[in-house]
Amino acid sequence: MTDELPELRASDTDRERVAERLREAVAEGRLDMEEFQERLDATYKARTYGELEPVTRDLPDPAGPGPAPARASGSGAWAERIGGAGTSAGGVAIMSGFSRKGMWTVPRRFNCFALCGGGEVDLREAKFEAPEVVVNCVAIMGGVDVIVPPGVEVVVRGIGVMGGFDERLGDEPPEPGAPRVIVTGFAFWGGVCVKRKISRSEKRRLKEEKDRRKGLEK
């Protein structure tokens, strides 16, 4: 990254390098989880070096060379999360709400409907019936949030009429062996928001690493 060429386009490798530094900063106690998530979102949305540079401007360089921390996910981990029968076929919210989150199995097609209400489809800790699943969302004067974990490939094909489908995914490349999630459907005077966040288990891992480092410093 360079101050002389702030408009130079950043690569996926550049973004991932910054994301890794943010993960280290959380483990070191320099960032809390809210700051980490905000900066991670900004990292994956950044197009140029000039947009990436402020993300870690107030963080020191890593202490020294060494292997990068192991990531929680990967081809082996994904293989363990694909297969088995779906545990929920859909969700309905009519002037109310629904939520599918935690440990559940996403079927090949999950249908959800929100009318003057809201729904949440959280895939961060879910398993997947097949390597490709479809989340079909219909939102009429209501909204649906679809939350996916890092590494998953996401395709958004929804149609909005006086409403829309909002993508907050960044440019993170899919991981080998990760499932493909297709978000489709229809939004009328409503909205479907598709966003990427780290899982609760990853948050716990970062917190445990942070506590471990604090213990070593005492």
Side-chain angles (χ1 to χ4, degrees):
M1 213 172 298
T2 173
D3 295 332
E4 287 78 16
L5 297 172
E7 298 307 316
L8 191 66
R9 302 286 288 192
S11 69
D12 290 337
T13 300
D14 295 322
R15 282 182 281 270
E16 189 55 41
R17 187 180 299 114
V18 172
E20 193 61 47
R21 181 67 195 106
L22 293 176
R23 295 185 186 101
E24 292 173 358
V26 172
E28 293 163 358
R30 302 182 193 278
L31 296 176
D32 60 30
M33 290 309 302
E34 183 177 354
E35 291 175 308
F36 169 73
Q37 192 62 61
E38 290 175 354
R39 296 193 189 200
L40 191 65
D41 290 344
T43 297
Y44 288 126
K45 289 178 181 177
R47 302 290 185 185
T48 66
Y49 285 134
E51 293 173 349
L52 273 178
E53 194 274 335
V55 176
T56 57
R57 179 181 294 161
D58 59 348
L59 298 176
D61 291 333
R71 298 191 65 175
S73 55
S75 57
W78 285 119
E80 297 174 358
R81 293 178 62 176
I82 298 176
T87 55
S88 178
V92 177
I94 300 177
M95 292 188 288
S96 62
F98 75 84
S99 179
R100 298 292 184 275
K101 60 182 180 180
M103 300 181 67
W104 64 295
T105 301
V106 187
R108 293 176 184 271
R109 184 179 180 88
F110 181 85
N111 295 303
C112 51
F113 176 74
L115 173 63
C116 298
E120 179 185 57
V121 183
D122 190 338
L123 310 182
R124 288 177 292 175
E125 296 181 1
K127 292 186 176 182
F128 300 82
E129 183 176 349
E132 181 175 289
V133 299
V134 175
V135 179
N136 182 56
C137 305
V138 176
I140 301 176
M141 293 185 287
V144 177
D145 286 338
V146 180
I147 306 172
V148 300
V152 171
E153 180 183 0
V154 183
V155 178
V156 180
R157 298 175 177 167
I159 298 173
V161 177
M162 291 185 287
F165 281 68
D166 182 19
E167 300 180 42
R168 303 178 187 177
L169 299 170
D171 296 325
E172 179 182 353
E175 294 178 359
R180 187 172 191 243
V181 178
I182 299 175
V183 181
T184 185
F186 178 71
F188 177 70
W189 280 10
V192 176
C193 181
V194 187
K195 49 193 172 183
R196 195 186 304 275
K197 290 184 177 181
I198 62 173
S199 67
R200 294 176 178 84
S201 60
E202 178 70 1
K203 287 182 179 180
R204 286 194 297 270
R205 187 186 72 80
L206 291 170
K207 183 178 185 301
E208 289 169 0
E209 178 66 16
K210 175 181 175 182
D211 292 342
R212 185 184 69 81
R213 294 197 182 193
K214 282 184 176 180
L216 292 174
E217 291 171 358
K218 290 181 179 180

